[in-house]
Amino acid sequence: MVVIMTVDALAGLRQNALTRKREAALTRTSPQFMFDVGSPNAFLSHEAIPAIEQRTGVKFEYVPILLGGIFKATGNKSPAESLAGIKNKPEFHALETERFVKRFHVKPYTMNPFFPVNTLNLMRAAVAAQFEGVFENYVDAAFHHMWVEPKKMDDPEVAIKAFTASGLDAAKLFARAQDPDVKAKLIENTQAAVERGAFGSPTFFVGKEMFFGKEQLREVEELVAGG
């Protein structure tokens, strides 16, 4: 039996094949950024990512997680705690950060005088911002008020004032952050990150490949560009 296909049908098949190919490429190469705005290294990664996206043509997927939850689940500690009392390691850590800033042409962070900041409400509000369609603006503002013009962002009044000044409906977002679906989503993101191997932030995934730390962004870019 001979099957005769119309030009439109053939074009449709070709289009479907191209769509599947694009979707497969996106799944293979699109990197995920597991972040908590309380991490200065996550901030530096956030500053470096736009140029990587421009060079590779691939957009990062930002996934809000709770760093305190990851630490609790894995027994990990913040660098401020883990580096304390270790000769030479804090100095090397500072040197590593200087190298990163030069390599990726980003501005260094301003140390938050209130560090460590409890980011539970901030990260819940990040999920709320996703649900409300203002996620990118929220993330930019959160990192700014943590590491560019640092504030005590675990003080609700300070946080609401800061986000309002950044043009967001902060009162609405922080109210939404208390809803059960928002809380559940942040827990889900955090647990999923741990199950995939995460033990801190910034963590990046490209497919099943995991990379930890801002310095690994170079390898992330190489993998994405080669994909």
Side-chain angles (χ1 to χ4, degrees):
M1 181 177 66
V2 178
V3 178
I4 300 175
M5 302 188 71
T6 66
V7 173
D8 288 343
L10 287 170
L13 287 174
R14 292 192 188 99
Q15 184 60 44
N16 289 339
L18 287 172
T19 299
R20 287 194 298 271
K21 186 176 181 180
R22 282 196 298 268
E23 288 175 349
L26 178 62
T27 301
R28 185 176 68 251
T29 62
S30 185
Q32 292 179 304
F33 173 29
M34 309 291 167
F35 78 98
D36 183 314
V37 297
S39 164
N41 289 320
F43 164 74
L44 290 175
S45 300
H46 173 67
E47 291 294 292
I49 282 171
I52 296 174
E53 291 178 329
Q54 187 173 16
R55 288 192 294 268
T56 62
V58 175
K59 192 169 180 61
F60 280 64
E61 177 190 354
Y62 278 55
V63 181
I65 52 86
L66 185 63
L67 188 53
I70 286 183
F71 284 167
K72 185 176 180 180
T74 61
N76 196 8
K77 296 179 180 179
S78 71
E81 294 178 276
S82 63
L83 296 177
I86 301 178
K87 184 177 177 60
N88 297 330
K89 193 170 182 179
E91 290 80 5
F92 177 75
H93 187 266
L95 176 61
E96 200 173 44
T97 297
E98 287 180 18
R99 289 170 176 165
F100 180 90
V101 166
K102 290 178 181 178
R103 179 182 301 123
F104 288 96
H105 306 289
V106 297
K107 293 181 179 179
Y109 60 83
T110 300
M111 189 60 197
N112 193 312
F114 305 102
F115 184 84
V117 172
N118 186 328
T119 60
L120 176 60
N121 285 328
L122 293 175
M123 297 314 298
R124 284 175 176 171
V127 174
Q130 278 187 315
F131 290 170
E132 297 298 320
V134 293
F135 184 57
E136 290 188 10
N137 290 343
Y138 178 89
V139 171
D140 285 340
F143 275 126
H144 178 86
H145 294 298
M146 277 294 301
W147 303 110
V148 180
E149 296 181 10
K151 302 171 180 66
K152 186 172 173 53
M153 293 297 284
D154 51 5
D155 182 324
E157 290 185 8
V158 171
I160 288 175
K161 183 178 179 180
F163 284 115
T164 299
S166 294
L168 291 158
D169 189 341
K172 178 181 179 181
L173 287 176
F174 278 85
R176 181 77 172 88
Q178 302 309 311
D179 289 347
D181 61 332
V182 169
K183 294 179 179 181
K185 182 60 176 175
L186 182 61
I187 292 171
E188 177 187 326
N189 288 351
T190 303
Q191 290 178 339
V194 171
E195 289 169 2
R196 295 174 71 185
F199 52 87
S201 177
T203 294
F204 307 92
F205 287 98
V206 183
K208 293 182 179 180
E209 294 289 329
M210 189 185 92
F211 302 86
F212 173 72
K214 64 186 183 297
E215 294 78 15
Q216 294 293 304
L217 266 176
R218 184 163 50 179
E219 293 192 30
V220 171
E221 180 173 359
E222 289 175 355
L223 181 59
V224 170

